Amino acid sequence: MTTVDAQTGINKVGLSRADYKGLPSTLCQGCGHNAISNQIIAAMYELDVIPEKIVKFSGIGCSSKSPAYFLNRSFSFNGLHGRMPSMALGTLFADMTLKGIGVSGDGDTASIGLGQFKHLIRRNLPMVYIVENNGVYGLTKGQFSATAEKGLTLKHEGTNLFLPVDICLEALASNATFVARSFAGDPKQVKELIKAAISHRGVAVLDIISPCVTFNNKDDTIHSYVFGKEHEVRLHDLIFTPARDMLTIEDFAEGDTRDVELYDGSMITLHKLGTDYDPRDRQAAFKVLEEARVKRELLTGLIYVNPDEPSIFDLYKFPEKPFNRMTEQEIRPPSETIRMVNEWMFSA
Amino acid sequence: MSQHQPDMISTSTPERQPVVNDFSITFCTVNGSGSATSNLTVLRAIFKMGIPVSGKNIFPSNIQGLPTWYSIRVNKDGFTARVEKDDIIVAMNPATFIQDLDYVVPGGMVLYSDDIKLTPTRSDLTYYPMPVKQLIRSIDITPQLRDFVSNMIYVGVLAWLIGIDMEAIRAALEYHFKGRAKPVETNLAAIRVAYDWAAANLQENHTYRLQPMKATEGMILSDGNTAAALGAIYGGVQFVAWYPITPGSSLPEALIEYLPELRMNKETGEQNYMIVQAEDEIAAIGMLVGAGWGGLRAMTATAGPGLSLMTEYLGLAYFAEVPLVVWDVQRVGPSTGLPTRTAQGDLTGVYFMGHGDTNFIQLFPGNMNECFEFGWKAFDIAERLQMPVVVLSDLDLGMNQWMGQPFEYPDRPMDRGKVLWEGDLDLFEAKTGKKWGRYLDVDGDGIPYRTLPGNLNPRSAYFTRGTGHDEYARYSEDPEVWERNILRLAKKIQTAKSYMPGPVIQRMEQAQAGIIAVGSTDAAVQEARLKLADRGIKTDYMRIRGWPFTQEVDEFVRTHERIYVVEINRDGQLRQILMINYPEQASHFRKVARVNGLPLSARWIIDEILSQEEK
């Protein structure tokens, strides 16, 4: 479902797929993060997004290097470990028409950055927040992260004794308005979720299990490719339809689907698999996550969405003109006001 | 009244000349008892009478129940520094009553609440017990309001004793209550009852008197934090993120108060600024880095502990060349220290802040007017240099009321620095013959050109990082690239000198020594210099207003063999910084430093310098 011209490969904003690319990746061959970068490229290309309207943010770690490998024509800030959310908030106020894509990892989000992650969610800043979750520190060569499963054994670290932090549960508990989990080995689902996330007006958390082929990819561990392939349970099949394509929507068979309309009129169509899951039900979201944990399943799909909660931008009245294009006349009070200000100061 | 009181009244010596417009009053109260309104009313009324006045709040880190002191200094010559003795005390706190008496000069006056049943320890003072409870009961107000207005009793008694003008008191109350008639009248009623009681029951003393002057005509009264906030508003502040901390908080709180007045479209309700109370100082500075990178005029205010948390992000801002402004309203450290007391203890901390070779532009406002001026100027400097600017104020300057000239509208247009929008990229390339690169220094001043997110020119985007990068913002570990970049950053500090406010230098004929200070110690240093001159020690005085030091600072240091560096910290931090900057003149600098939580007094500075001069 794209508007790309099949002959020329040019999309509606006149760009080819190459215009969405980044530099060649320096991550390991087969790293799940590269697969995610490719789906970001595909999603933005297919959605006719103008790359200059996207700003990329990241923290520190393998995941946080990946913004260099997609959307070369977008501004990007590779900041501090665990502190990307605050930076993103400041920048997006500079021009509220921009969309943020943040890429973080499980160390960056669930260890050092858990506080900022939760407060970003609480403020519901419109941006996509991708966690490339592999349960391990790659860039420092193989230490446990906070999402590592209990009992995981790593070469130099021994056995992890602690229960993992569940990023989706943390997000839900912080009143996230969009929570999804996916698997880097399921590129189609990753792409559709990224498309939906970018249309959501609020923080869209995507916890994507992204195997680390170098340090944590043993077949029986939950962050590995083999485990993911064998244990992925999709809540539903989903397709995202931008508002402008509503007339051409290729629906699933009637009666099997559920639609979620997002803020901008675009639609997520969920095809029922097994049970009829309603992602607007927050209690059900907690329940399926807990059940999956008990059954040791990799549950994927749109776990929770609330398109009605206002974003931080909706809580104030701002002018349409971007803040960073305002002139001196617009931001410095006129000279005649200084008299009034001095009177406020109990002038004698 | 208790037994000891009647014979204590009016024991002062009648032949003594009245002291006019030159004395200090300390109000000794309990935190949370509502005395602040009374104390400020006295301060403002004296100011309104045209008499130079200053006020200092010595308060505990506590909401309710611990002792608080508020000292007002009345001085016809305009001296505003703290003095170490009280002429008059208003003793309302039984817990500190005996101790408070120790600070009163012989012949001084003691007003106190008559429910304090302690026996005064000194017979050289004049005591005025006030029947606070009895008087407050005679006013027609609800019992709930009695506690609030009972502190107005001492205002009334004091007004009669020293001659505070009742119309000036009314003006002060109308200001405080923003013209709301009810609280103004209620408080005035209490003051009148007390005034009338004093007139009928107390013997005239006239030891200390106020006489109207015209010395404050046209002046304003403000604390430094409010002045800084207003200055920032005239500097076009667009993004504020902060985390509550004493004594920084009242700066962003003043922004919260005044930004809607000055920067909100009254018809549409639209605001062209954003204020975020962050989850901690790390997030606050992170938001500033994002906003500054995005092209906004971004600021925060904090104190030492907050600044420690901000250090990591400030290092990134320095290296990624992001403009932003941090106000460090200093309090006593190390650690949590004395959160509600003043110091200049973050000077070396800020000077050396951050790992690796890192520098920050520093500004040192010395009075309330400079808080306003640096409020807007800091943004110009930060954006011009694409660097963080740290403004070092302190609790005394930031939270106490100071007299000053009216705020002056900025005398120049904003300097938004080197920013390229869509069309500017072609112009840049036509002009320089070079492809634009984020960190390319084409002007030779170390400052590159930056583009901002939202720029739709496909060549405008770049990748910002805290890791090694070349002129085109590409990742690099190349030794030459690293060295070239870090040396260019050093060049920006040289360039900065032409944008820094120079020092304020005051000279005396045939001065035999120099004095250097920064910030709020100015009032005490000014007073000390005049009194030292009376004792034959003439000094030249340089108040430094920023780092990097300008040429005038170099000159002063070179031309003075003996320089007293006056500051509020243990180690003589300003002196250390001067010694590093002027290694060849390192032996010129003498340490005059102490920290005990209180603003320096002129007397202490005089004693210190005298004792060193005798050596």
Side-chain angles (χ1 to χ4, degrees):
Chain A
M1 186 158 318
T2 80
T3 54
V4 174
D5 184 309
Q7 296 262 295
T8 61
I10 301 295
N11 69 9
K12 252 193 174 155
V13 291
L15 301 177
S16 70
R17 200 174 194 281
D19 293 315
Y20 293 86
K21 284 191 167 166
L23 299 170
S25 173
T26 61
L27 299 172
C28 304
Q29 281 277 332
C31 174
H33 301 359
N34 291 333
I36 296 167
S37 294
N38 286 333
Q39 296 316 313
I40 294 173
I41 291 169
M44 297 304 113
Y45 169 56
E46 291 174 15
L47 281 181
D48 308 313
V49 169
I50 296 167
E52 287 77 20
K53 298 299 271 185
I54 299 284
V55 188
K56 304 175 284 179
F57 302 101
S58 59
I60 294 290
C62 291
S63 60
S64 296
K65 292 171 78 160
S66 69
Y69 316 134
F70 60 86
L71 299 182
N72 244 357
R73 286 172 48 171
S74 304
F75 278 80
S76 190
F77 202 148
N78 177 197
L80 295 179
H81 201 18
R83 321 283 184 226
M84 171 259 279
S86 57
M87 192 176 76
L89 186 139
T91 299
L92 292 176
F93 269 95
D95 182 343
M96 287 173 237
T97 67
L98 302 176
K99 266 280 181 177
I101 298 180
V103 181
S104 179
D106 39 305
D108 198 59
T109 290
S111 289
I112 191 169
L114 195 54
Q116 291 215 351
F117 172 64
K118 291 173 80 89
H119 283 275
L120 177 78
I121 291 169
R122 176 173 171 251
R123 295 192 180 99
N124 207 26
L125 177 75
M127 71 177 285
V128 180
Y129 190 103
I130 296 170
V131 185
E132 298 181 341
N133 184 352
N134 58 16
V136 72
Y137 285 73
L139 210 51
T140 51
K141 304 202 185 298
Q143 296 81 22
F144 293 116
S145 91
T147 65
E149 65 195 297
K150 186 175 172 179
L152 175 68
T153 300
L154 293 176
K155 197 172 169 189
H156 300 294
E157 310 298 317
T159 301
N160 173 38
L161 305 176
F162 303 100
L163 285 166
V165 169
D166 184 313
I167 285 164
C168 291
L169 278 174
E170 295 296 338
L172 275 175
S174 311
N175 294 306
T177 54
F178 187 114
V179 180
R181 175 168 284 157
S182 192
F183 172 47
D186 187 352
K188 189 170 176 297
Q189 190 195 49
V190 168
K191 184 172 79 179
E192 293 303 305
L193 284 169
I194 290 169
K195 286 181 176 179
I198 200 90
S199 299
H200 178 65
R201 193 163 169 90
V203 179
V205 176
L206 298 182
D207 176 23
I208 306 178
I209 304 305
S210 176
C212 173
V213 291
T214 305
F215 296 109
N216 187 17
N217 195 31
K218 284 188 201 146
D219 292 355
D220 59 340
T221 62
I222 61 167
H223 291 95
S224 72
Y225 276 119
V226 168
F227 183 92
K229 294 274 185 214
E230 287 176 358
H231 295 84
E232 181 183 3
V233 176
R234 293 195 192 95
L235 272 171
H236 32 238
D237 281 337
L238 57 96
I239 50 168
F240 173 80
T241 315
R244 51 151 212 266
D245 293 343
M246 277 312 159
L247 294 174
T248 62
I249 186 164
E250 307 160 19
D251 215 336
F252 293 104
E254 195 134 336
D256 280 350
T257 64
R258 236 176 217 289
D259 292 335
V260 180
E261 191 182 340
L262 296 177
Y263 176 87
D264 62 359
S266 54
M267 195 78 83
I268 307 168
T269 306
L270 304 165
H271 176 56
K272 188 161 77 177
L273 289 175
T275 55
D276 182 17
Y277 181 71
D278 181 0
R280 280 164 293 205
D281 182 343
R282 192 157 171 264
Q283 283 208 23
F286 281 108
K287 190 159 170 270
V288 292
L289 286 170
E290 176 60 12
E291 284 169 359
R293 185 186 72 83
V294 171
K295 287 192 267 182
R296 211 164 175 252
E297 285 173 353
L298 172 53
L299 185 79
T300 64
L302 180 62
I303 290 166
Y304 180 69
V305 65
N306 174 4
D308 304 323
E309 192 66 25
S311 81
I312 190 170
F313 294 159
D314 304 319
L315 301 176
Y316 306 81
K317 278 188 90 174
F318 296 118
E320 266 182 42
K321 187 174 183 179
F323 276 13
N324 68 1
R325 291 186 190 255
M326 291 206 168
T327 61
E328 173 166 351
Q329 288 66 39
E330 288 165 297
I331 59 174
R332 171 171 281 173
S335 59
E336 59 268 21
T337 55
I338 198 82
R339 225 188 126 113
M340 170 180 77
V341 167
N342 279 315
E343 273 162 22
W344 291 342
M345 299 297 110
F346 198 64
S347 60
Chain B
M1 288 191 184
S2 57
Q3 308 86 326
H4 67 262
Q5 284 154 359
D7 56 276
M8 300 298 280
I9 292 180
S10 65
T11 54
S12 69
T13 43
E15 66 274 17
R16 190 173 147 165
Q17 284 291 312
V19 179
V20 177
N21 294 351
D22 184 14
F23 53 88
S24 66
I25 312 164
T26 291
F27 303 91
C28 319
T29 56
V30 176
N31 203 29
S33 67
S35 58
T37 307
S38 299
N39 304 340
L40 277 174
T41 298
V42 173
L43 177 89
R44 289 187 178 123
I46 296 170
F47 175 74
K48 205 76 179 175
M49 290 172 72
I51 308 164
V53 66
S54 58
K56 293 197 189 301
N57 193 10
I58 310 294
F59 62 107
S61 182
N62 164 261
I63 300 301
Q64 203 169 44
L66 289 181
T68 295
W69 296 270
Y70 190 78
S71 294
I72 286 178
R73 180 177 185 186
V74 180
N75 186 276
K76 57 182 185 306
D77 300 317
F79 293 137
T80 53
R82 186 177 74 88
V83 282
E84 292 180 21
K85 285 280 175 188
D86 298 315
D87 296 293
I88 303 169
I89 64 167
V90 176
M92 302 296 283
N93 184 0
T96 61
F97 181 68
I98 299 296
Q99 176 200 335
D100 291 335
L101 294 180
D102 290 345
Y103 291 94
V104 187
V105 298
M109 306 195 323
V110 180
L111 284 66
Y112 68 104
S113 174
D114 71 356
D115 57 2
I116 297 177
K117 304 295 183 195
L118 298 162
T119 309
T121 47
R122 287 178 57 182
S123 58
D124 59 339
L125 308 176
T126 311
Y127 293 89
Y128 297 95
M130 302 174 289
V132 176
K133 289 221 167 91
Q134 180 197 320
L135 291 173
I136 212 73
R137 272 197 298 270
S138 70
I139 308 164
D140 180 28
I141 44 167
T142 59
Q144 295 97 306
L145 278 176
R146 273 182 196 153
D147 282 346
F148 286 104
V149 297
S150 65
N151 283 311
M152 290 294 159
I153 296 298
Y154 65 68
V155 177
V157 176
L158 192 65
W160 183 80
L161 277 170
I162 65 172
I164 309 175
D165 180 63
M166 286 301 269
E167 277 314 299
I169 288 176
R170 173 184 277 279
L173 287 171
E174 280 175 351
Y175 176 80
H176 188 88
F177 293 107
K178 297 187 161 74
R180 292 195 306 275
K182 185 118 201 239
V184 170
E185 293 310 326
T186 306
N187 283 286
L188 260 183
I191 293 168
R192 282 221 184 82
V193 161
Y195 187 96
D196 294 344
W197 171 86
N201 293 279
L202 301 183
Q203 198 169 318
E204 286 208 67
N205 176 292
H206 292 254
T207 313
Y208 301 101
R209 294 299 292 175
L210 293 172
Q211 266 173 22
M213 296 171 66
K214 288 191 184 312
T216 66
E217 213 165 76
M219 295 180 91
I220 61 168
L221 204 54
S222 173
D223 61 273
N225 282 353
T226 300
L230 287 165
I233 293 172
Y234 281 90
V237 61
Q238 294 174 290
F239 190 92
V240 181
W242 67 293
Y243 187 75
I245 187 168
T246 307
S249 294
S250 61
L251 201 165
E253 281 166 350
L255 287 164
I256 291 168
E257 182 176 354
Y258 292 113
L259 268 168
E261 299 289 335
L262 290 161
R263 292 274 300 284
M264 187 182 272
N265 184 324
K266 293 282 185 303
E267 281 159 31
T268 62
E270 286 171 349
Q271 61 184 69
N272 60 16
Y273 57 86
M274 180 66 189
I275 305 171
V276 185
Q277 186 186 320
E279 59 268 33
D280 54 32
E281 286 92 344
I282 299 172
I285 192 73
M287 290 174 195
L288 259 60
V289 170
W293 180 69
L296 302 187
R297 296 204 139 184
M299 75 179 289
T300 189
T302 188
L307 199 67
S308 293
L309 288 173
M310 293 180 179
T311 301
E312 185 192 24
Y313 243 128
L314 282 167
L316 174 65
Y318 167 75
F319 189 59
E321 301 181 56
V322 177
L324 54 88
V325 175
V326 176
W327 280 74
D328 173 19
V329 187
Q330 296 169 93
R331 67 189 216 189
V332 179
S335 191
T336 309
L338 297 173
T340 60
R341 303 297 164 88
T342 201
Q344 297 176 315
D346 299 346
L347 302 179
T348 46
V350 171
Y351 190 85
F352 291 110
M353 185 164 56
H355 56 272
D357 292 309
T358 311
N359 302 119
F360 297 99
I361 304 295
Q362 294 149 58
L363 294 174
F364 309 113
N367 53 56
M368 175 269 279
N369 289 91
E370 282 181 0
C371 287
F372 181 88
E373 183 188 335
F374 294 173
W376 59 266
K377 213 168 255 178
F379 288 121
D380 287 355
I381 296 171
E383 290 195 325
R384 167 54 50 184
L385 297 166
Q386 300 177 18
M387 269 182 85
V389 172
V390 182
V391 190
L392 288 115
S393 178
D394 64 35
L395 183 143
D396 184 24
L397 178 54
M399 291 187 71
N400 285 321
Q401 295 285 322
W402 297 84
M403 301 182 305
Q405 293 305 315
F407 298 134
E408 282 177 31
Y409 195 73
D411 60 0
R412 66 196 76 166
M414 282 182 188
D415 182 356
R416 303 301 309 258
K418 301 180 185 179
V419 175
L420 303 177
W421 282 105
E422 282 82 351
D424 301 332
L425 282 153
D426 287 337
L427 293 175
F428 176 93
E429 292 175 7
K431 203 174 136 197
T432 63
K434 286 175 181 157
K435 185 169 163 275
W436 170 76
R438 170 64 183 96
Y439 299 112
L440 190 65
D441 176 15
V442 290
D443 297 332
D445 57 2
I447 307 168
Y449 287 77
R450 63 184 186 134
T451 53
L452 305 176
N455 187 327
L456 295 174
N457 188 322
R459 285 174 293 134
S460 67
Y462 67 99
F463 197 99
T464 309
R465 44 163 66 85
T467 44
H469 45 260
D470 68 9
E471 285 79 356
Y472 292 89
R474 293 174 298 216
Y475 180 73
S476 170
E477 296 177 4
D478 184 320
E480 281 176 31
V481 168
W482 178 268
E483 194 164 30
R484 205 160 61 223
N485 188 46
I486 208 78
L487 291 175
R488 178 182 59 77
L489 290 171
K491 194 187 237 176
K492 293 210 303 189
I493 295 294
Q494 293 308 310
T495 301
K497 292 185 177 184
S498 56
Y499 295 97
M500 298 300 293
V504 177
I505 296 176
Q506 292 169 345
R507 297 180 192 277
M508 284 180 182
E509 294 269 326
Q510 293 165 330
Q512 64 252 52
I515 296 178
I516 293 180
V518 295
S520 69
T521 54
D522 186 51
V525 173
Q526 297 271 12
E527 184 178 347
R529 280 182 73 228
L530 292 177
K531 292 179 177 171
L532 278 167
D534 289 345
R535 298 164 84 152
I537 296 175
K538 293 184 176 169
T539 56
D540 288 340
Y541 169 39
M542 173 171 68
R543 183 165 60 80
I544 296 174
R545 299 196 297 169
W547 187 91
F549 298 139
T550 58
Q551 211 181 335
E552 300 113 293
V553 179
D554 305 352
E555 173 84 17
F556 188 95
V557 168
R558 255 202 331 272
T559 54
H560 290 81
E561 290 293 311
R562 198 164 71 252
I563 302 172
Y564 295 99
V565 185
V566 179
E567 53 193 312
I568 312 178
N569 53 62
R570 182 191 65 186
D571 293 340
Q573 298 183 8
L574 177 61
R575 176 171 171 264
Q576 292 172 340
I577 292 167
L578 285 162
M579 289 166 83
I580 287 168
N581 279 264
Y582 302 105
E584 282 163 21
Q585 286 84 28
S587 62
H588 293 195
F589 305 111
R590 309 283 177 93
K591 182 172 142 186
V592 181
R594 84 180 296 190
V595 59
N596 61 2
L598 302 174
L600 296 185
S601 65
R603 182 177 166 172
W604 182 81
I605 297 170
I606 293 164
D607 290 349
E608 256 322 276
I609 291 178
L610 279 177
S611 76
Q612 294 198 37
E613 281 291 297
E614 282 160 13
K615 275 177 195 161

